[in-house]
mmCIF file of all heavy atoms in Angstrom:
data_model
loop_
_atom_site.group_PDB
_atom_site.id
_atom_site.type_symbol
_atom_site.label_atom_id
_atom_site.label_comp_id
_atom_site.label_asym_id
_atom_site.label_seq_id
_atom_site.Cartn_x
_atom_site.Cartn_y
_atom_site.Cartn_z
ATOM 1 N N LEU Z 601 123.829 21.856 128.399
ATOM 2 C CA LEU Z 601 122.705 22.540 129.097
ATOM 3 C C LEU Z 601 121.366 22.282 128.265
ATOM 4 O O LEU Z 601 121.419 22.243 127.082
ATOM 5 C CB LEU Z 601 122.990 24.142 129.031
ATOM 6 C CG LEU Z 601 124.329 24.530 129.725
ATOM 7 C CD1 LEU Z 601 124.352 26.059 129.520
ATOM 8 C CD2 LEU Z 601 124.187 24.192 131.225
ATOM 9 N N LYS Z 602 120.385 22.264 129.010
ATOM 10 C CA LYS Z 602 119.064 22.040 128.373
ATOM 11 C C LYS Z 602 118.164 23.126 129.073
ATOM 12 O O LYS Z 602 118.123 23.115 130.298
ATOM 13 C CB LYS Z 602 118.370 20.630 128.424
ATOM 14 C CG LYS Z 602 117.018 20.505 127.759
ATOM 15 C CD LYS Z 602 116.496 19.202 127.802
ATOM 16 C CE LYS Z 602 116.313 18.570 129.226
ATOM 17 N NZ LYS Z 602 115.495 17.319 129.194
ATOM 18 N N CYS Z 603 117.584 23.999 128.243
ATOM 19 C CA CYS Z 603 116.692 24.997 128.882
ATOM 20 C C CYS Z 603 115.334 25.082 128.331
ATOM 21 O O CYS Z 603 115.056 24.741 127.186
ATOM 22 C CB CYS Z 603 117.493 26.372 128.491
ATOM 23 S SG CYS Z 603 116.585 27.788 129.114
ATOM 24 N N ASN Z 604 114.267 25.412 129.107
ATOM 25 C CA ASN Z 604 112.929 25.567 128.722
ATOM 26 C C ASN Z 604 112.213 26.531 129.692
ATOM 27 O O ASN Z 604 112.695 26.681 130.842
ATOM 28 C CB ASN Z 604 112.205 24.259 128.554
ATOM 29 C CG ASN Z 604 112.026 23.394 129.874
ATOM 30 O OD1 ASN Z 604 111.762 23.921 130.926
ATOM 31 N ND2 ASN Z 604 112.482 22.238 129.744
ATOM 32 N N GLY Z 605 111.259 27.187 129.172
ATOM 33 C CA GLY Z 605 110.529 28.088 130.023
ATOM 34 C C GLY Z 605 110.247 29.399 129.068
ATOM 35 O O GLY Z 605 110.081 29.201 127.877
ATOM 36 N N TYR Z 606 109.949 30.485 129.841
ATOM 37 C CA TYR Z 606 109.691 31.817 129.048
ATOM 38 C C TYR Z 606 110.350 32.992 129.592
ATOM 39 O O TYR Z 606 110.788 32.997 130.770
ATOM 40 C CB TYR Z 606 108.181 31.981 129.011
ATOM 41 C CG TYR Z 606 107.638 32.309 130.382
ATOM 42 C CD1 TYR Z 606 107.672 33.653 130.787
ATOM 43 C CD2 TYR Z 606 106.934 31.397 131.184
ATOM 44 C CE1 TYR Z 606 107.033 34.130 132.026
ATOM 45 C CE2 TYR Z 606 106.415 31.712 132.383
ATOM 46 C CZ TYR Z 606 106.444 33.091 132.895
ATOM 47 O OH TYR Z 606 105.920 33.474 134.088
ATOM 48 N N ILE Z 607 110.391 33.999 128.744
ATOM 49 C CA ILE Z 607 110.932 35.280 129.167
ATOM 50 C C ILE Z 607 110.015 36.254 128.501
ATOM 51 O O ILE Z 607 109.771 36.167 127.165
ATOM 52 C CB ILE Z 607 112.409 35.452 128.600
ATOM 53 C CG1 ILE Z 607 113.298 34.355 129.065
ATOM 54 C CG2 ILE Z 607 112.860 36.971 128.950
ATOM 55 C CD1 ILE Z 607 114.678 34.487 128.355
ATOM 56 N N ASP Z 608 109.547 37.237 129.235
ATOM 57 C CA ASP Z 608 108.664 38.363 128.712
ATOM 58 C C ASP Z 608 109.580 39.301 127.853
ATOM 59 O O ASP Z 608 110.610 39.480 128.171
ATOM 60 C CB ASP Z 608 107.904 39.100 129.806
ATOM 61 C CG ASP Z 608 106.733 38.337 130.353
ATOM 62 O OD1 ASP Z 608 106.387 37.313 129.842
ATOM 63 O OD2 ASP Z 608 106.231 38.797 131.411
ATOM 64 N N LEU Z 609 109.032 39.821 126.825
ATOM 65 C CA LEU Z 609 109.738 40.763 125.906
ATOM 66 C C LEU Z 609 109.485 42.113 126.315
ATOM 67 O O LEU Z 609 109.921 43.107 125.554
ATOM 68 C CB LEU Z 609 109.451 40.362 124.496
ATOM 69 C CG LEU Z 609 109.801 38.921 124.062
ATOM 70 C CD1 LEU Z 609 109.376 38.609 122.708
ATOM 71 C CD2 LEU Z 609 111.260 38.651 124.247
ATOM 72 N N VAL Z 610 108.727 42.469 127.316
ATOM 73 C CA VAL Z 610 108.395 43.796 127.738
ATOM 74 C C VAL Z 610 108.796 43.844 129.230
ATOM 75 O O VAL Z 610 108.743 42.923 129.957
ATOM 76 C CB VAL Z 610 107.135 44.202 127.395
ATOM 77 C CG1 VAL Z 610 106.733 44.243 125.881
ATOM 78 C CG2 VAL Z 610 105.916 43.160 128.072
ATOM 79 N N LYS Z 611 108.958 45.168 129.732
ATOM 80 C CA LYS Z 611 109.234 45.350 131.212
ATOM 81 C C LYS Z 611 108.113 44.960 131.929
ATOM 82 O O LYS Z 611 106.884 45.062 131.496
ATOM 83 C CB LYS Z 611 109.500 46.866 131.343
ATOM 84 C CG LYS Z 611 111.083 47.145 131.013
ATOM 85 C CD LYS Z 611 111.217 48.736 131.445
ATOM 86 C CE LYS Z 611 112.617 49.030 131.092
ATOM 87 N NZ LYS Z 611 113.026 50.219 131.538
ATOM 88 N N PRO Z 612 108.244 44.391 133.096
ATOM 89 C CA PRO Z 612 109.470 44.182 133.864
ATOM 90 C C PRO Z 612 110.329 42.990 133.340
ATOM 91 O O PRO Z 612 111.194 42.522 134.255
ATOM 92 C CB PRO Z 612 108.939 44.186 135.208
ATOM 93 C CG PRO Z 612 107.640 43.399 135.204
ATOM 94 C CD PRO Z 612 107.025 43.950 133.962
ATOM 95 N N TYR Z 613 110.115 42.326 132.293
ATOM 96 C CA TYR Z 613 110.838 41.163 131.853
ATOM 97 C C TYR Z 613 110.710 39.951 132.803
ATOM 98 O O TYR Z 613 111.685 39.463 133.316
ATOM 99 C CB TYR Z 613 112.315 41.487 131.585
ATOM 100 C CG TYR Z 613 112.439 42.690 130.640
ATOM 101 C CD1 TYR Z 613 112.852 43.874 131.004
ATOM 102 C CD2 TYR Z 613 112.098 42.342 129.289
ATOM 103 C CE1 TYR Z 613 113.141 44.929 130.027
ATOM 104 C CE2 TYR Z 613 112.186 43.481 128.295
ATOM 105 C CZ TYR Z 613 112.700 44.727 128.667
ATOM 106 O OH TYR Z 613 112.844 45.725 127.904
ATOM 107 N N LYS Z 614 109.473 39.529 133.057
ATOM 108 C CA LYS Z 614 109.275 38.369 133.886
ATOM 109 C C LYS Z 614 109.894 37.166 133.265
ATOM 110 O O LYS Z 614 109.766 37.081 131.944
ATOM 111 C CB LYS Z 614 107.758 38.139 134.061
ATOM 112 C CG LYS Z 614 107.265 39.116 135.068
ATOM 113 C CD LYS Z 614 105.652 38.814 135.141
ATOM 114 C CE LYS Z 614 104.993 39.954 135.983
ATOM 115 N NZ LYS Z 614 103.562 39.763 136.075
ATOM 116 N N LEU Z 615 110.309 36.227 133.922
ATOM 117 C CA LEU Z 615 110.815 34.944 133.408
ATOM 118 C C LEU Z 615 110.619 33.797 134.273
ATOM 119 O O LEU Z 615 110.456 33.970 135.617
ATOM 120 C CB LEU Z 615 112.257 35.019 133.074
ATOM 121 C CG LEU Z 615 113.238 35.369 134.182
ATOM 122 C CD1 LEU Z 615 113.820 34.112 134.792
ATOM 123 C CD2 LEU Z 615 114.421 36.162 133.744
ATOM 124 N N ASP Z 616 110.513 32.663 133.688
ATOM 125 C CA ASP Z 616 110.445 31.348 134.564
ATOM 126 C C ASP Z 616 111.101 30.413 133.569
ATOM 127 O O ASP Z 616 110.598 29.828 132.665
ATOM 128 C CB ASP Z 616 108.837 30.923 134.736
ATOM 129 C CG ASP Z 616 108.693 29.776 135.473
ATOM 130 O OD1 ASP Z 616 109.760 29.291 136.103
ATOM 131 O OD2 ASP Z 616 107.634 29.344 135.714
ATOM 132 N N LEU Z 617 112.353 30.129 134.034
ATOM 133 C CA LEU Z 617 113.200 29.217 133.199
ATOM 134 C C LEU Z 617 113.789 28.072 134.062
ATOM 135 O O LEU Z 617 114.002 28.199 135.259
ATOM 136 C CB LEU Z 617 114.428 30.020 132.634
ATOM 137 C CG LEU Z 617 114.188 31.054 131.682
ATOM 138 C CD1 LEU Z 617 115.446 31.945 131.341
ATOM 139 C CD2 LEU Z 617 113.621 30.540 130.270
ATOM 140 N N SER Z 618 114.013 26.935 133.354
ATOM 141 C CA SER Z 618 114.540 25.819 134.038
ATOM 142 C C SER Z 618 115.748 25.408 133.138
ATOM 143 O O SER Z 618 115.581 25.162 131.948
ATOM 144 C CB SER Z 618 113.656 24.650 134.067
ATOM 145 O OG SER Z 618 114.263 23.556 134.536
#
Side-chain angles (χ1 to χ4, degrees):
L601 302 176
K602 179 172 71 171
C603 182
N604 59 50
Y606 70 82
I607 303 169
D608 281 353
L609 300 174
V610 295
K611 282 187 176 183
Y613 303 108
K614 291 180 188 176
L615 60 93
D616 187 3
L617 294 173
S618 176

